[in-house]
Amino acid sequence: MTAAENRQLVGYVRGLGRAKAAPSQGDRANGERLFWSKGNCGQCHTVGPRGGRLGPDLTAIGTSRGPDHLRESLLNPEADVPDTFTAYRRVIYMPDNFLQVRVITRDGRQITGIRVNEDTFTIQIRDSSDRVYSFRKDELHELHKDWGKSPMPGYRGVLSDSEIQDVIAYLLSLQGAP
Amino acid sequence: MKVLLTLFLTGFTLTAQVTYERIAAAASEAGNWLTYSGGYAGYRYSALRRINRTNVARLRPAWIYQTNDLNNFEATPIVADGVMYISEPPSNAAALDLRTGRPIWMFRRPLPGPVGVCCGQVNRGVALLGDRVFLGTLDGHLLALDSRTGHLLWDRALADYQSGYSITVAPLALKDKVIVGVSGGEYGIRGFLDAYDVRSGERLWRFWTVPGPGEPGHDTWEGDSWKTGSAATWLTGSYDPALNLLYWGTGNPGPNYNGEGRSGDNLYSTSLLALDASTGKLKWYFQFTPHDTHDWDANHVPVLIDAVFQGKPRKLVAVANRNGFFYLFDRQTGEYLLGRQYAKQTWAKGLDGRGRPIVIPATEPAPEGTLVFPGVHGATNWNSPSYSPDTRLMYVAAREEGTVFYRATAEYKAGSYFSAGGMRGIPGVEPSGSIKALDPLTGEQRWEFPLHSPPWAGVLSTAGGLVFSGTNEGNIFALDAASGKALWDFQAGAPVYAGPMSYEFEGKQYLAVTAGRSLMAFTVAEQP
């Protein structure tokens, strides 16, 4: 291909991962307030410079997810747990699938959290209080990987239907770093 | 101090003559590493035992040499008479001081322009014979360098890189010739293996891995499909000096994922070739995956073992293949002796009495995708296995990974990618890997050490009772060769894409292996 054709192809492929800004019926401002207060979403998710690191960064979530997907994720977080493994991704320097793991150390400590990183001999884990642990696997009595599980609670019954609509409106407005 | 002074005054002269006889008897000078796999038999085994089960936990870096190129550093160093010879990506070479890793000379070859390569601008090592270092280049040349200075002595173009040929293989030097193969299996080349005169650089023979009109095997190709049949020869083979036979693997047929225009077995793709080293004539062949559509190259280092098999002393050759099966042959005759699945595979019910796969229907790539194990990178890949004559086990870096294969169409255009399809991973499945210890006389697994992801590093075994390898996550590690128990590991900070080797210098044994841009030499730290 020519250089121009390459650029066109790259542009097309990049566009495949971007959702068009969807119209939202909720109250964006109220959604933002709920996100950082009642919903406690910011404990685990980052928006711009603010928030926690236990779950995916949502700074640009409005560019890649539509309202139906976001609703499903809020009501049933385990419906679509992130997964990024592809045949040609030869090396994974940092896993970004937020795998939930549970370990029991040889001295009996139990820790549940998100896998931050892992190699053949070690694993690094971040727990819900944002503490990072690093273990050699031969120090562990048990290591469980909870595939398909998510530490995120479902929001049915926590937020009302209209509040969920507002949070979705806020999320859809997140289009990347300002 | 006296020892150091003596060594300093003695130094080394860089006038080593690494004769064919020395390489053929490499096992008798374990302190050196004279050819890609350590010896012609393809063992990647070191008879050194100073690093062993009792002290390997004290293995520490002695020095690190770094390239200034970001491509994968896939070379196995050659060590002879106090000097290390390496290739570096994309097509460079260097001689290093064994005490410090500092270069003694560097040879730099700029590429003439964009070179089409499927899998990175890499080079897997040099060959050494006499006072010459042999280097293949990405633009399809074979070079002879003066081992004392790195000066270019001759330069031969094997093929036109603009039509998709390249060289990534470490050449194999023997007698008066150097053997070199080509890459380009994703570019519709017609593969071949060449031999060149070490002094003059003249071509002595060429074996086309895709037979032309009138040659045996040509009728296994439909129409003109042989012209783009690929069957590249991109990994160093093995050699039996007594039989004067070369054992060399070939790659996928082209185009990779769509076999509709190339009906037939597509000889000699995905095969093990036994060639007369003097003439390049084919003595026998075995095709592992007839009419391959999953990119399962058979570019593996064949392992030549002499053993009693079923009551008879036999000269054997063993291959753990990308297609998920382990094979054993009589290397004199090519007789198929056994085949056994060694990793997950979902494409064959098994092998028939002659070793031909009994293919499960509907496992070919399809427009809507077909999930198959092993994946596109195979149950193992080019990364070397190792065979220990002590444990009589073969150690294989195995991959547990499936792929969804897609079939498409592709029009051949010289020098352009020609795969006619694609692939993706399986959602929700984290691929993994292992080091497997196989009994080569039965194919049975003796032990397995799990790895976090499918490995690209080769394996080294040693007389110290150890097996060394590396991981994509940067671990370099040692296992007990008898049990598979982990005894040492070191986080090098970048993926390991090469096979470890070992040598001796000033009374110490070293382990050398690349990780990221670094070539690291380890030795056992003195006890306080």
Side-chain angles (χ1 to χ4, degrees), chain A residues 83 85-88 90-91 93 115 118-121 136 147, chain B residues 377 425 427-428 430 450-452 471 473 475 477 489 491 495 497:
Chain A
D83 136 54
F85 300 110
T86 65
Y88 253 59
R90 291 184 172 207
V91 176
Y93 286 96
R115 177 180 65 176
E118 183 178 5
D119 64 27
T120 293
F121 298 92
R136 284 191 62 86
W147 295 106
Chain B
H377 296 133
E430 191 168 55
L451 300 175
H452 179 60
T471 75
E473 292 76 33
N475 310 104
F477 61 88
D489 62 273
Q491 176 52 257
Y497 279 119

PDB file of all heavy atoms in Angstrom, chain A residues 83 85-88 90-91 93 115 118-121 136 147, chain B residues 377 425 427-428 430 450-452 471 473 475 477 489 491 495 497:
ATOM      1  N   ASP A  83     -11.351  -7.934  28.519  1.00  0.00           N
ATOM      2  CA  ASP A  83     -10.431  -8.986  28.098  1.00  0.00           C
ATOM      3  C   ASP A  83      -9.697  -8.471  26.881  1.00  0.00           C
ATOM      4  O   ASP A  83     -10.286  -7.939  25.963  1.00  0.00           O
ATOM      5  CB  ASP A  83     -11.220 -10.259  27.822  1.00  0.00           C
ATOM      6  CG  ASP A  83     -10.778 -10.923  26.548  1.00  0.00           C
ATOM      7  OD1 ASP A  83      -9.594 -11.182  26.427  1.00  0.00           O
ATOM      8  OD2 ASP A  83     -11.640 -11.152  25.686  1.00  0.00           O
ATOM      9  N   PHE A  85      -6.821 -10.147  25.299  1.00  0.00           N
ATOM     10  CA  PHE A  85      -5.813 -11.059  24.798  1.00  0.00           C
ATOM     11  C   PHE A  85      -6.029 -11.345  23.328  1.00  0.00           C
ATOM     12  O   PHE A  85      -7.087 -11.759  22.910  1.00  0.00           O
ATOM     13  CB  PHE A  85      -5.829 -12.357  25.589  1.00  0.00           C
ATOM     14  CG  PHE A  85      -5.562 -12.111  27.032  1.00  0.00           C
ATOM     15  CD1 PHE A  85      -6.555 -12.258  27.961  1.00  0.00           C
ATOM     16  CD2 PHE A  85      -4.323 -11.658  27.426  1.00  0.00           C
ATOM     17  CE1 PHE A  85      -6.313 -11.996  29.287  1.00  0.00           C
ATOM     18  CE2 PHE A  85      -4.062 -11.384  28.744  1.00  0.00           C
ATOM     19  CZ  PHE A  85      -5.063 -11.557  29.682  1.00  0.00           C
ATOM     20  N   THR A  86      -5.033 -11.100  22.557  1.00  0.00           N
ATOM     21  CA  THR A  86      -5.115 -11.372  21.132  1.00  0.00           C
ATOM     22  C   THR A  86      -3.908 -12.190  20.713  1.00  0.00           C
ATOM     23  O   THR A  86      -2.875 -12.187  21.374  1.00  0.00           O
ATOM     24  CB  THR A  86      -5.132 -10.074  20.312  1.00  0.00           C
ATOM     25  OG1 THR A  86      -3.873  -9.434  20.504  1.00  0.00           O
ATOM     26  CG2 THR A  86      -6.244  -9.162  20.731  1.00  0.00           C
ATOM     27  N   ALA A  87      -4.060 -12.878  19.586  1.00  0.00           N
ATOM     28  CA  ALA A  87      -2.997 -13.780  19.159  1.00  0.00           C
ATOM     29  C   ALA A  87      -1.715 -13.040  18.853  1.00  0.00           C
ATOM     30  O   ALA A  87      -0.636 -13.576  19.019  1.00  0.00           O
ATOM     31  CB  ALA A  87      -3.455 -14.557  17.932  1.00  0.00           C
ATOM     32  N   TYR A  88      -1.810 -11.833  18.399  1.00  0.00           N
ATOM     33  CA  TYR A  88      -0.599 -11.132  18.007  1.00  0.00           C
ATOM     34  C   TYR A  88      -0.086 -10.190  19.066  1.00  0.00           C
ATOM     35  O   TYR A  88       0.865  -9.466  18.844  1.00  0.00           O
ATOM     36  CB  TYR A  88      -0.814 -10.415  16.670  1.00  0.00           C
ATOM     37  CG  TYR A  88      -0.071 -11.132  15.589  1.00  0.00           C
ATOM     38  CD1 TYR A  88      -0.358 -12.464  15.313  1.00  0.00           C
ATOM     39  CD2 TYR A  88       0.945 -10.530  14.888  1.00  0.00           C
ATOM     40  CE1 TYR A  88       0.342 -13.148  14.358  1.00  0.00           C
ATOM     41  CE2 TYR A  88       1.649 -11.209  13.925  1.00  0.00           C
ATOM     42  CZ  TYR A  88       1.345 -12.517  13.654  1.00  0.00           C
ATOM     43  OH  TYR A  88       2.054 -13.203  12.716  1.00  0.00           O
ATOM     44  N   ARG A  90       2.063 -10.250  21.546  1.00  0.00           N
ATOM     45  CA  ARG A  90       3.038 -11.228  22.007  1.00  0.00           C
ATOM     46  C   ARG A  90       3.415 -11.029  23.467  1.00  0.00           C
ATOM     47  O   ARG A  90       3.653 -11.966  24.191  1.00  0.00           O
ATOM     48  CB  ARG A  90       4.304 -11.122  21.172  1.00  0.00           C
ATOM     49  CG  ARG A  90       4.124 -11.574  19.757  1.00  0.00           C
ATOM     50  CD  ARG A  90       5.436 -11.519  19.052  1.00  0.00           C
ATOM     51  NE  ARG A  90       5.313 -12.117  17.745  1.00  0.00           N
ATOM     52  CZ  ARG A  90       6.327 -12.681  17.118  1.00  0.00           C
ATOM     53  NH1 ARG A  90       7.492 -12.742  17.687  1.00  0.00           N
ATOM     54  NH2 ARG A  90       6.166 -13.188  15.934  1.00  0.00           N
ATOM     55  N   VAL A  91       3.499  -9.786  23.875  1.00  0.00           N
ATOM     56  CA  VAL A  91       3.981  -9.500  25.218  1.00  0.00           C
ATOM     57  C   VAL A  91       3.004  -8.565  25.904  1.00  0.00           C
ATOM     58  O   VAL A  91       2.597  -7.560  25.333  1.00  0.00           O
ATOM     59  CB  VAL A  91       5.372  -8.843  25.169  1.00  0.00           C
ATOM     60  CG1 VAL A  91       5.827  -8.454  26.549  1.00  0.00           C
ATOM     61  CG2 VAL A  91       6.361  -9.786  24.521  1.00  0.00           C
ATOM     62  N   TYR A  93       2.974  -6.221  28.858  1.00  0.00           N
ATOM     63  CA  TYR A  93       3.781  -5.596  29.897  1.00  0.00           C
ATOM     64  C   TYR A  93       2.932  -5.304  31.135  1.00  0.00           C
ATOM     65  O   TYR A  93       3.377  -5.467  32.248  1.00  0.00           O
ATOM     66  CB  TYR A  93       4.415  -4.303  29.372  1.00  0.00           C
ATOM     67  CG  TYR A  93       5.542  -4.562  28.417  1.00  0.00           C
ATOM     68  CD1 TYR A  93       5.338  -4.556  27.049  1.00  0.00           C
ATOM     69  CD2 TYR A  93       6.813  -4.838  28.894  1.00  0.00           C
ATOM     70  CE1 TYR A  93       6.381  -4.803  26.175  1.00  0.00           C
ATOM     71  CE2 TYR A  93       7.870  -5.090  28.033  1.00  0.00           C
ATOM     72  CZ  TYR A  93       7.642  -5.067  26.673  1.00  0.00           C
ATOM     73  OH  TYR A  93       8.679  -5.325  25.818  1.00  0.00           O
ATOM     74  N   ARG A 115      -5.524  -7.918  39.976  1.00  0.00           N
ATOM     75  CA  ARG A 115      -4.153  -8.206  39.547  1.00  0.00           C
ATOM     76  C   ARG A 115      -3.583  -6.978  38.840  1.00  0.00           C
ATOM     77  O   ARG A 115      -4.095  -6.553  37.806  1.00  0.00           O
ATOM     78  CB  ARG A 115      -4.145  -9.399  38.600  1.00  0.00           C
ATOM     79  CG  ARG A 115      -2.751  -9.703  38.066  1.00  0.00           C
ATOM     80  CD  ARG A 115      -2.758 -10.886  37.144  1.00  0.00           C
ATOM     81  NE  ARG A 115      -3.533 -10.628  35.932  1.00  0.00           N
ATOM     82  CZ  ARG A 115      -3.642 -11.478  34.917  1.00  0.00           C
ATOM     83  NH1 ARG A 115      -3.069 -12.662  35.006  1.00  0.00           N
ATOM     84  NH2 ARG A 115      -4.357 -11.183  33.849  1.00  0.00           N
ATOM     85  N   GLU A 118       1.758  -9.588  36.724  1.00  0.00           N
ATOM     86  CA  GLU A 118       2.062 -10.976  37.052  1.00  0.00           C
ATOM     87  C   GLU A 118       3.162 -11.468  36.118  1.00  0.00           C
ATOM     88  O   GLU A 118       3.221 -11.078  34.950  1.00  0.00           O
ATOM     89  CB  GLU A 118       0.808 -11.848  36.873  1.00  0.00           C
ATOM     90  CG  GLU A 118       1.036 -13.299  37.263  1.00  0.00           C
ATOM     91  CD  GLU A 118      -0.208 -14.167  37.135  1.00  0.00           C
ATOM     92  OE1 GLU A 118      -1.244 -13.667  36.655  1.00  0.00           O
ATOM     93  OE2 GLU A 118      -0.127 -15.352  37.516  1.00  0.00           O
ATOM     94  N   ASP A 119       4.031 -12.299  36.631  1.00  0.00           N
ATOM     95  CA  ASP A 119       4.917 -13.076  35.771  1.00  0.00           C
ATOM     96  C   ASP A 119       4.907 -14.508  36.277  1.00  0.00           C
ATOM     97  O   ASP A 119       4.083 -14.861  37.137  1.00  0.00           O
ATOM     98  CB  ASP A 119       6.322 -12.451  35.662  1.00  0.00           C
ATOM     99  CG  ASP A 119       7.093 -12.421  36.969  1.00  0.00           C
ATOM    100  OD1 ASP A 119       6.847 -13.278  37.841  1.00  0.00           O
ATOM    101  OD2 ASP A 119       7.961 -11.535  37.130  1.00  0.00           O
ATOM    102  N   THR A 120       5.801 -15.319  35.768  1.00  0.00           N
ATOM    103  CA  THR A 120       5.785 -16.734  36.137  1.00  0.00           C
ATOM    104  C   THR A 120       6.042 -16.938  37.623  1.00  0.00           C
ATOM    105  O   THR A 120       5.491 -17.851  38.237  1.00  0.00           O
ATOM    106  CB  THR A 120       6.826 -17.488  35.288  1.00  0.00           C
ATOM    107  OG1 THR A 120       6.379 -17.470  33.921  1.00  0.00           O
ATOM    108  CG2 THR A 120       7.005 -18.920  35.741  1.00  0.00           C
ATOM    109  N   PHE A 121       6.827 -16.056  38.235  1.00  0.00           N
ATOM    110  CA  PHE A 121       7.258 -16.283  39.608  1.00  0.00           C
ATOM    111  C   PHE A 121       6.611 -15.356  40.629  1.00  0.00           C
ATOM    112  O   PHE A 121       6.684 -15.616  41.818  1.00  0.00           O
ATOM    113  CB  PHE A 121       8.783 -16.149  39.697  1.00  0.00           C
ATOM    114  CG  PHE A 121       9.494 -17.175  38.866  1.00  0.00           C
ATOM    115  CD1 PHE A 121       9.861 -16.886  37.554  1.00  0.00           C
ATOM    116  CD2 PHE A 121       9.750 -18.436  39.368  1.00  0.00           C
ATOM    117  CE1 PHE A 121      10.498 -17.838  36.775  1.00  0.00           C
ATOM    118  CE2 PHE A 121      10.377 -19.397  38.593  1.00  0.00           C
ATOM    119  CZ  PHE A 121      10.752 -19.101  37.285  1.00  0.00           C
ATOM    120  N   ARG A 136       5.879 -13.393  45.868  1.00  0.00           N
ATOM    121  CA  ARG A 136       6.396 -14.511  45.093  1.00  0.00           C
ATOM    122  C   ARG A 136       5.364 -15.624  45.188  1.00  0.00           C
ATOM    123  O   ARG A 136       4.774 -15.860  46.241  1.00  0.00           O
ATOM    124  CB  ARG A 136       7.743 -14.977  45.638  1.00  0.00           C
ATOM    125  CG  ARG A 136       8.912 -14.052  45.272  1.00  0.00           C
ATOM    126  CD  ARG A 136      10.244 -14.697  45.602  1.00  0.00           C
ATOM    127  NE  ARG A 136      10.454 -15.933  44.846  1.00  0.00           N
ATOM    128  CZ  ARG A 136      10.985 -15.971  43.615  1.00  0.00           C
ATOM    129  NH1 ARG A 136      11.351 -14.850  43.023  1.00  0.00           N
ATOM    130  NH2 ARG A 136      11.144 -17.120  42.984  1.00  0.00           N
ATOM    131  N   TRP A 147     -11.933 -15.577  36.991  1.00  0.00           N
ATOM    132  CA  TRP A 147     -12.271 -15.194  35.618  1.00  0.00           C
ATOM    133  C   TRP A 147     -13.749 -14.871  35.498  1.00  0.00           C
ATOM    134  O   TRP A 147     -14.596 -15.594  35.998  1.00  0.00           O
ATOM    135  CB  TRP A 147     -11.922 -16.323  34.650  1.00  0.00           C
ATOM    136  CG  TRP A 147     -10.452 -16.589  34.582  1.00  0.00           C
ATOM    137  CD1 TRP A 147      -9.780 -17.642  35.121  1.00  0.00           C
ATOM    138  CD2 TRP A 147      -9.464 -15.757  33.977  1.00  0.00           C
ATOM    139  NE1 TRP A 147      -8.433 -17.526  34.890  1.00  0.00           N
ATOM    140  CE2 TRP A 147      -8.207 -16.391  34.185  1.00  0.00           C
ATOM    141  CE3 TRP A 147      -9.507 -14.544  33.289  1.00  0.00           C
ATOM    142  CZ2 TRP A 147      -7.025 -15.844  33.718  1.00  0.00           C
ATOM    143  CZ3 TRP A 147      -8.319 -14.012  32.827  1.00  0.00           C
ATOM    144  CH2 TRP A 147      -7.100 -14.656  33.039  1.00  0.00           C
TER     145      TRP A 147
ATOM    146  N   HIS B 377       0.815 -19.370  16.321  1.00  0.00           N
ATOM    147  CA  HIS B 377       2.234 -19.481  16.663  1.00  0.00           C
ATOM    148  C   HIS B 377       2.631 -20.895  17.057  1.00  0.00           C
ATOM    149  O   HIS B 377       3.791 -21.134  17.408  1.00  0.00           O
ATOM    150  CB  HIS B 377       2.582 -18.503  17.786  1.00  0.00           C
ATOM    151  CG  HIS B 377       2.406 -17.071  17.381  1.00  0.00           C
ATOM    152  ND1 HIS B 377       1.753 -16.140  18.136  1.00  0.00           N
ATOM    153  CD2 HIS B 377       2.784 -16.419  16.258  1.00  0.00           C
ATOM    154  CE1 HIS B 377       1.736 -14.972  17.509  1.00  0.00           C
ATOM    155  NE2 HIS B 377       2.352 -15.120  16.377  1.00  0.00           N
ATOM    156  N   GLY B 425      -7.076 -13.736  18.827  1.00  0.00           N
ATOM    157  CA  GLY B 425      -7.093 -14.583  20.009  1.00  0.00           C
ATOM    158  C   GLY B 425      -8.502 -14.935  20.424  1.00  0.00           C
ATOM    159  O   GLY B 425      -9.491 -14.533  19.798  1.00  0.00           O
ATOM    160  N   PRO B 427     -11.501 -14.596  23.002  1.00  0.00           N
ATOM    161  CA  PRO B 427     -11.957 -13.730  24.083  1.00  0.00           C
ATOM    162  C   PRO B 427     -12.045 -14.489  25.411  1.00  0.00           C
ATOM    163  O   PRO B 427     -12.508 -15.621  25.462  1.00  0.00           O
ATOM    164  CB  PRO B 427     -13.349 -13.290  23.626  1.00  0.00           C
ATOM    165  CG  PRO B 427     -13.340 -13.477  22.150  1.00  0.00           C
ATOM    166  CD  PRO B 427     -12.438 -14.637  21.889  1.00  0.00           C
ATOM    167  N   GLY B 428     -11.563 -13.860  26.446  1.00  0.00           N
ATOM    168  CA  GLY B 428     -11.727 -14.424  27.774  1.00  0.00           C
ATOM    169  C   GLY B 428     -10.749 -15.525  28.132  1.00  0.00           C
ATOM    170  O   GLY B 428     -10.855 -16.109  29.212  1.00  0.00           O
ATOM    171  N   GLU B 430      -6.793 -16.458  28.720  1.00  0.00           N
ATOM    172  CA  GLU B 430      -5.429 -15.973  28.849  1.00  0.00           C
ATOM    173  C   GLU B 430      -4.481 -17.088  28.432  1.00  0.00           C
ATOM    174  O   GLU B 430      -4.419 -18.119  29.083  1.00  0.00           O
ATOM    175  CB  GLU B 430      -5.161 -15.577  30.297  1.00  0.00           C
ATOM    176  CG  GLU B 430      -3.871 -14.837  30.476  1.00  0.00           C
ATOM    177  CD  GLU B 430      -3.771 -14.200  31.870  1.00  0.00           C
ATOM    178  OE1 GLU B 430      -3.909 -14.922  32.875  1.00  0.00           O
ATOM    179  OE2 GLU B 430      -3.576 -12.996  31.938  1.00  0.00           O
ATOM    180  N   PRO B 450       4.938 -24.756  34.594  1.00  0.00           N
ATOM    181  CA  PRO B 450       4.038 -23.787  33.955  1.00  0.00           C
ATOM    182  C   PRO B 450       4.651 -22.404  33.831  1.00  0.00           C
ATOM    183  O   PRO B 450       5.366 -21.941  34.715  1.00  0.00           O
ATOM    184  CB  PRO B 450       2.833 -23.766  34.901  1.00  0.00           C
ATOM    185  CG  PRO B 450       3.351 -24.217  36.212  1.00  0.00           C
ATOM    186  CD  PRO B 450       4.502 -25.144  35.942  1.00  0.00           C
ATOM    187  N   LEU B 451       4.359 -21.744  32.720  1.00  0.00           N
ATOM    188  CA  LEU B 451       4.802 -20.375  32.470  1.00  0.00           C
ATOM    189  C   LEU B 451       3.585 -19.477  32.342  1.00  0.00           C
ATOM    190  O   LEU B 451       2.525 -19.915  31.860  1.00  0.00           O
ATOM    191  CB  LEU B 451       5.639 -20.295  31.189  1.00  0.00           C
ATOM    192  CG  LEU B 451       6.908 -21.142  31.167  1.00  0.00           C
ATOM    193  CD1 LEU B 451       7.576 -21.051  29.799  1.00  0.00           C
ATOM    194  CD2 LEU B 451       7.873 -20.711  32.254  1.00  0.00           C
ATOM    195  N   HIS B 452       3.758 -18.222  32.715  1.00  0.00           N
ATOM    196  CA  HIS B 452       2.622 -17.302  32.736  1.00  0.00           C
ATOM    197  C   HIS B 452       2.039 -17.054  31.352  1.00  0.00           C
ATOM    198  O   HIS B 452       0.839 -16.852  31.204  1.00  0.00           O
ATOM    199  CB  HIS B 452       3.050 -15.977  33.374  1.00  0.00           C
ATOM    200  CG  HIS B 452       1.963 -14.955  33.421  1.00  0.00           C
ATOM    201  ND1 HIS B 452       0.780 -15.171  34.083  1.00  0.00           N
ATOM    202  CD2 HIS B 452       1.861 -13.735  32.851  1.00  0.00           C
ATOM    203  CE1 HIS B 452       0.002 -14.109  33.938  1.00  0.00           C
ATOM    204  NE2 HIS B 452       0.631 -13.228  33.187  1.00  0.00           N
ATOM    205  N   THR B 471      11.169 -15.900  29.941  1.00  0.00           N
ATOM    206  CA  THR B 471       9.747 -15.651  29.724  1.00  0.00           C
ATOM    207  C   THR B 471       9.526 -14.315  29.025  1.00  0.00           C
ATOM    208  O   THR B 471      10.411 -13.458  28.981  1.00  0.00           O
ATOM    209  CB  THR B 471       8.962 -15.617  31.054  1.00  0.00           C
ATOM    210  OG1 THR B 471       9.245 -14.382  31.727  1.00  0.00           O
ATOM    211  CG2 THR B 471       9.310 -16.789  31.944  1.00  0.00           C
ATOM    212  N   GLU B 473       7.739 -12.092  30.200  1.00  0.00           N
ATOM    213  CA  GLU B 473       7.647 -11.071  31.242  1.00  0.00           C
ATOM    214  C   GLU B 473       9.005 -10.723  31.817  1.00  0.00           C
ATOM    215  O   GLU B 473       9.092  -9.979  32.800  1.00  0.00           O
ATOM    216  CB  GLU B 473       6.707 -11.550  32.357  1.00  0.00           C
ATOM    217  CG  GLU B 473       5.251 -11.655  31.944  1.00  0.00           C
ATOM    218  CD  GLU B 473       4.971 -12.877  31.078  1.00  0.00           C
ATOM    219  OE1 GLU B 473       5.640 -13.919  31.282  1.00  0.00           O
ATOM    220  OE2 GLU B 473       4.107 -12.789  30.176  1.00  0.00           O
ATOM    221  N   ASN B 475      11.476 -12.900  33.016  1.00  0.00           N
ATOM    222  CA  ASN B 475      12.147 -13.818  33.925  1.00  0.00           C
ATOM    223  C   ASN B 475      13.185 -14.648  33.167  1.00  0.00           C
ATOM    224  O   ASN B 475      12.900 -15.169  32.093  1.00  0.00           O
ATOM    225  CB  ASN B 475      11.151 -14.802  34.569  1.00  0.00           C
ATOM    226  CG  ASN B 475       9.944 -14.128  35.180  1.00  0.00           C
ATOM    227  OD1 ASN B 475       8.858 -14.154  34.611  1.00  0.00           O
ATOM    228  ND2 ASN B 475      10.146 -13.514  36.322  1.00  0.00           N
ATOM    229  N   PHE B 477      15.364 -18.039  34.175  1.00  0.00           N
ATOM    230  CA  PHE B 477      15.200 -18.970  35.290  1.00  0.00           C
ATOM    231  C   PHE B 477      15.934 -20.283  35.051  1.00  0.00           C
ATOM    232  O   PHE B 477      16.303 -20.614  33.914  1.00  0.00           O
ATOM    233  CB  PHE B 477      13.716 -19.226  35.565  1.00  0.00           C
ATOM    234  CG  PHE B 477      12.968 -19.835  34.408  1.00  0.00           C
ATOM    235  CD1 PHE B 477      12.921 -21.215  34.248  1.00  0.00           C
ATOM    236  CD2 PHE B 477      12.311 -19.044  33.487  1.00  0.00           C
ATOM    237  CE1 PHE B 477      12.228 -21.785  33.185  1.00  0.00           C
ATOM    238  CE2 PHE B 477      11.634 -19.605  32.413  1.00  0.00           C
ATOM    239  CZ  PHE B 477      11.582 -20.967  32.263  1.00  0.00           C
ATOM    240  N   ASP B 489      15.567 -17.625  39.720  1.00  0.00           N
ATOM    241  CA  ASP B 489      14.997 -16.762  38.688  1.00  0.00           C
ATOM    242  C   ASP B 489      15.471 -15.333  38.902  1.00  0.00           C
ATOM    243  O   ASP B 489      15.819 -14.929  40.006  1.00  0.00           O
ATOM    244  CB  ASP B 489      13.467 -16.842  38.656  1.00  0.00           C
ATOM    245  CG  ASP B 489      12.826 -16.375  39.947  1.00  0.00           C
ATOM    246  OD1 ASP B 489      12.667 -17.192  40.868  1.00  0.00           O
ATOM    247  OD2 ASP B 489      12.491 -15.163  40.039  1.00  0.00           O
ATOM    248  N   GLN B 491      14.646 -11.251  37.349  1.00  0.00           N
ATOM    249  CA  GLN B 491      13.779 -10.398  36.537  1.00  0.00           C
ATOM    250  C   GLN B 491      14.661  -9.440  35.735  1.00  0.00           C
ATOM    251  O   GLN B 491      15.264  -8.514  36.295  1.00  0.00           O
ATOM    252  CB  GLN B 491      12.806  -9.641  37.433  1.00  0.00           C
ATOM    253  CG  GLN B 491      11.911  -8.654  36.713  1.00  0.00           C
ATOM    254  CD  GLN B 491      11.155  -9.229  35.514  1.00  0.00           C
ATOM    255  OE1 GLN B 491      11.516  -8.999  34.366  1.00  0.00           O
ATOM    256  NE2 GLN B 491      10.096  -9.977  35.780  1.00  0.00           N
ATOM    257  N   PRO B 495      11.295  -8.849  27.636  1.00  0.00           N
ATOM    258  CA  PRO B 495      11.070 -10.218  27.170  1.00  0.00           C
ATOM    259  C   PRO B 495      12.343 -10.913  26.687  1.00  0.00           C
ATOM    260  O   PRO B 495      13.251 -10.283  26.142  1.00  0.00           O
ATOM    261  CB  PRO B 495      10.102 -10.037  25.993  1.00  0.00           C
ATOM    262  CG  PRO B 495       9.477  -8.705  26.197  1.00  0.00           C
ATOM    263  CD  PRO B 495      10.491  -7.867  26.899  1.00  0.00           C
ATOM    264  N   TYR B 497      13.725 -13.422  24.051  1.00  0.00           N
ATOM    265  CA  TYR B 497      13.350 -13.932  22.731  1.00  0.00           C
ATOM    266  C   TYR B 497      14.412 -14.847  22.136  1.00  0.00           C
ATOM    267  O   TYR B 497      14.414 -15.071  20.935  1.00  0.00           O
ATOM    268  CB  TYR B 497      13.144 -12.765  21.762  1.00  0.00           C
ATOM    269  CG  TYR B 497      11.801 -12.090  21.860  1.00  0.00           C
ATOM    270  CD1 TYR B 497      11.700 -10.756  22.203  1.00  0.00           C
ATOM    271  CD2 TYR B 497      10.642 -12.797  21.566  1.00  0.00           C
ATOM    272  CE1 TYR B 497      10.466 -10.126  22.270  1.00  0.00           C
ATOM    273  CE2 TYR B 497       9.409 -12.173  21.637  1.00  0.00           C
ATOM    274  CZ  TYR B 497       9.328 -10.842  21.980  1.00  0.00           C
ATOM    275  OH  TYR B 497       8.117 -10.223  22.042  1.00  0.00           O
TER     276      TYR B 497
END
